[in-house]
Amino acid sequence: MNEAVTLRGVTKTFQTGTSALSPVDLAIAAGSFVSLVGPSGCGKSTLLRMIAGLLDPSGGEIARAWTAGPQGIGFVFQDATLMPWANVAKNVSLPLEIAGLPHDGVAEAIARVGLEGFAQSYPRELSGGMRMRASIARAIVAKPSVLLMDEPFAALDEFTRFRLNDDLLALWQANRWTVIFVTHSIREAVFLSERVIVMSPRPGRVVADMPILFSQPRAAALRNDHAFTDVCARVGAALGEAQAA
Amino acid sequence: MRRLLPLLFGVVVLALWEAAVRLNNVPEYIVPGPIAILRALGKDGADLLAGLVVTLEVTVAALLLAVLTGGGFAFLLAQSRLAEQTLFPYAVFLQVTPIVTIAPFVIIWVPNVFVVLLILAWMAAVFPILSNTLLGLKSADANLRDLFRLYGASRWQTARRLLLPSALPYFLGGFRISGGLALIGTVVAEMVAGTSGTRSGLASRLLEASYRLELARAMACFVLLSAAGFAIYWLLDILSRRLLRHWHESAKDT
Ligand SMILES: Nc1ncnc2c1ncn2[C@@H]1O[C@H](COP(=O)(O)OP(=O)(O)O)[C@@H](O)[C@H]1O
Ligand SMILES: [Mg+2]
């Protein structure tokens, strides 16, 4: 199996003395959709930022199989994090601009997230869901091999979140990037992923690593399936055990 | 209707003023009425406008200099925390020192009157631009900074595409304040430096007229200077709204 990223004994202690992660060992297969769930403050964002290379681990090592720059990696934050002074097209083309890549593909990326007709709109003219779509378009515009997402839909209402989940899954089906997706919603994690990794409270470590075997492509109706609810309950139980321990 | 209220209020006050002056037979060299001031404006109009132009030349030059030096200096200080800690106190020194206390030295050291006025007006105007721009450069969104880093942006790319736009609303806020301060600085400098002759500014002319007890003319100077101050603020406000109109809360359509 081809690994997109491998973590060996990765720890993080901040200068403040906060120990955010106990040793984490984790290998993520190229092209897979993996979710990280865990209680708030357990170090999910810290782990994701270390995987991205935005933060150095205090111990252990991280081997990445992607190249630096927008063709290697895309990152989506909890807030859309758009440049308010630039319209959607300018925001989406930012990675290409920085890396000096040709700007074709901007219109396509905007279309793929369903924002046709809004290329010239400014962020403040868009709804929260549309801003998040623009943020995703920016992350995928250079066709990166790995996409890191840190609770991207947490601030959205449930209806918008479901639609974005469905659309994200369709995008992943079509492109098969590696996606590492942080969420605190168990249902979201189970619906989207091929694999759910459960973390303990701070200092975070991996307490459960569960394959999710529902076949792809997944339909929205899966959310009402008994089998789906059962899997969610098992992930929930693992999370509960980790918190009690 | 409500928009006319300030105007109406002003007219009533002027009318009361004129009435009080006439009823009490107050001589023009003690308190001139609005009509006498208007008459002075009409009679000496060309002369006073020439003075206003001189004053505004200094004001605008000082403001532009403040933008260049304040903005540039802020950019340098934003590059390093150490530089900021070392040098910012001296910028505060500029801000808290009353320029009249420095004027005598500048007048002795610098032979050219225009340059004297320019230096003093610049000293009055530079701090709001410097401190606001510095604050703006430092308040760029942390996640956007990370994104620029992730995509391998150069220092220059980060500055141009992230730091400068983030700082723009702050810079413009400082710019609007500095516009007024540049005018105040020029006026104070003119009064202290005591320029005279045809190339003298409106504030020197105001002072001269008051020495000669030509109070109507002096007040005409005052009216023109106030109007110029309003105009500067108004122009900078329009500029700021235009530049920010698509994206900043302060410039939301009204
Ligand atoms: N820059 C930092 N300095 C000090 N402590 C931090 C820093 N970033 C995060 N932490 C701490 O590390 C822990 C994990 O944070 P985070 O990774 O954001 O958690 P999560 O994303 O799972 O909610 C928290 O206790 C947080 O307060
Ligand atoms: Mg987090």
Side-chain angles (χ1 to χ4, degrees):
Chain A
M1 180 64 91
N2 215 342
E3 311 297 355
V5 60
T6 310
L7 289 81
R8 283 185 216 89
V10 169
T11 62
K12 182 69 193 179
T13 305
F14 286 105
Q15 271 156 4
T16 55
T18 308
S19 170
L21 287 177
S22 351
V24 169
D25 291 283
L26 193 59
I28 290 175
S32 62
F33 197 126
V34 177
S35 285
L36 287 173
V37 298
S40 174
C42 76
K44 304 181 293 294
S45 298
T46 304
L47 188 62
L48 209 61
R49 287 163 53 80
M50 287 196 295
I51 291 175
L54 289 169
L55 197 65
D56 289 326
S58 309
E61 55 186 53
I62 301 176
R64 306 176 185 87
W66 59 84
T67 54
Q71 290 174 311
I73 188 171
F75 203 108
V76 180
F77 300 93
Q78 177 170 343
D79 300 312
T81 312
L82 300 172
M83 300 179 291
W85 54 83
N87 62 26
V88 169
K90 289 248 172 61
N91 266 290
V92 170
S93 62
L94 176 76
L96 306 173
E97 183 73 40
I98 289 176
L101 298 168
H103 281 214
D104 40 65
V106 172
E108 189 201 336
I110 290 173
R112 282 206 286 175
V113 298
L115 280 183
E116 301 99 329
F118 292 96
Q120 303 307 317
S121 301
Y122 284 79
R124 83 164 181 208
E125 298 159 4
L126 305 177
S127 70
M130 289 160 85
R131 274 183 227 155
M132 187 45 77
R133 287 176 184 276
S135 187
I136 293 173
R138 176 180 60 191
I140 63 175
V141 69
K143 306 194 163 60
S145 48
V146 55
L147 186 57
L148 306 184
M149 307 180 87
D150 191 358
E151 306 200 32
F153 308 138
L156 303 178
D157 61 275
E158 188 162 74
F159 179 73
T160 310
R161 173 196 280 238
F162 281 179
R163 291 211 20 212
L164 278 160
N165 281 172
D166 296 343
D167 293 353
L168 175 63
L169 211 47
L171 277 173
W172 175 71
Q173 285 291 337
N175 298 278
R176 291 289 168 159
W177 320 291
T178 312
V179 181
I180 307 178
F181 188 96
V182 169
T183 176
H184 54 234
S185 161
I186 295 171
R187 292 168 56 82
E188 186 174 45
V190 171
F191 180 75
L192 291 174
S193 324
E194 298 178 299
R195 182 179 166 201
V196 172
I197 289 160
V198 180
M199 291 176 65
S200 72
R202 190 170 63 83
R205 69 200 152 79
V206 176
V207 290
D209 189 340
M210 311 169 103
I212 309 293
L213 300 171
F214 302 114
S215 63
Q216 300 280 358
R218 293 176 188 168
L222 176 64
R223 293 195 184 92
N224 305 320
D225 206 304
H226 277 305
F228 176 78
T229 315
D230 282 348
V231 174
C232 290
R234 280 201 290 123
V235 175
L239 200 55
E241 251 170 60
Q243 300 213 51
Chain B
M1 183 59 215
R2 266 166 197 276
R3 297 175 64 100
L4 290 179
L5 279 180
L7 201 66
L8 194 66
F9 177 74
V11 168
V12 168
V13 169
L14 289 179
L16 287 176
W17 176 3
E18 184 70 36
V21 167
R22 278 174 191 251
L23 290 178
N24 298 308
N25 274 323
V26 182
E28 213 174 86
Y29 57 84
I30 295 183
V31 182
I35 292 178
I37 297 173
L38 261 177
R39 217 184 301 122
L41 261 179
K43 185 163 71 71
D44 302 343
D47 176 39
L48 296 183
L49 278 183
L52 182 62
V53 168
V54 173
T55 300
L56 286 182
E57 275 171 12
V58 177
T59 304
V60 171
L63 190 56
L64 292 183
L65 194 64
V67 167
L68 288 179
T69 54
F73 202 48
F75 194 75
L76 288 182
L77 294 193
Q79 301 303 310
S80 133
R81 189 111 186 86
L82 200 66
E84 186 191 338
Q85 282 170 347
T86 312
L87 296 176
F88 196 73
Y90 293 94
V92 175
F93 168 79
L94 265 186
Q95 155 80 355
V96 299
T97 309
I99 57 168
V100 271
T101 62
I102 298 185
F105 308 107
V106 180
I107 291 169
I108 290 170
W109 292 332
V110 180
N112 182 314
V113 178
F114 179 83
V115 178
V116 170
L117 301 183
L118 184 64
I119 291 175
L120 295 174
W122 169 82
M123 286 183 63
V126 72
F127 187 77
I129 293 181
L130 169 63
S131 68
N132 271 28
T133 309
L134 182 58
L135 181 65
L137 288 169
K138 292 196 295 184
S139 12
D141 184 86
N143 284 340
L144 272 175
R145 274 176 196 268
D146 278 349
L147 209 61
F148 273 70
R149 204 145 65 80
L150 193 69
Y151 292 144
S154 67
R155 232 181 148 85
W156 164 244
Q157 285 176 319
T158 309
R160 175 165 140 46
R161 304 206 171 268
L162 177 61
L163 302 185
L164 293 182
S166 302
L168 185 64
Y170 295 80
F171 163 79
L172 289 170
F175 196 25
R176 278 191 302 189
I177 298 171
S178 292
L181 288 178
L183 183 64
I184 293 173
T186 308
V187 164
V188 171
E190 277 184 22
M191 290 188 165
V192 180
T195 56
S196 59
T198 50
R199 283 295 294 159
S200 70
L202 202 53
S204 335
R205 288 169 202 237
L206 188 160
L207 211 56
E208 276 171 40
S210 76
Y211 290 152
R212 292 200 300 262
L213 292 184
E214 295 171 6
L215 281 209
R217 179 181 154 97
M219 287 221 178
C221 293
F222 160 82
V223 169
L224 284 180
L225 284 171
S226 293
F230 263 105
I232 289 173
Y233 185 85
W234 180 70
L235 284 174
L236 293 181
D237 194 55
I238 288 181
L239 174 75
S240 154
R241 280 171 193 281
R242 297 223 96 191
L243 288 175
L244 301 180
R245 104 189 110 168
H246 281 303
W247 63 278
H248 203 258
E249 292 302 327
S250 71
K252 258 204 169 119
D253 301 329
T254 46

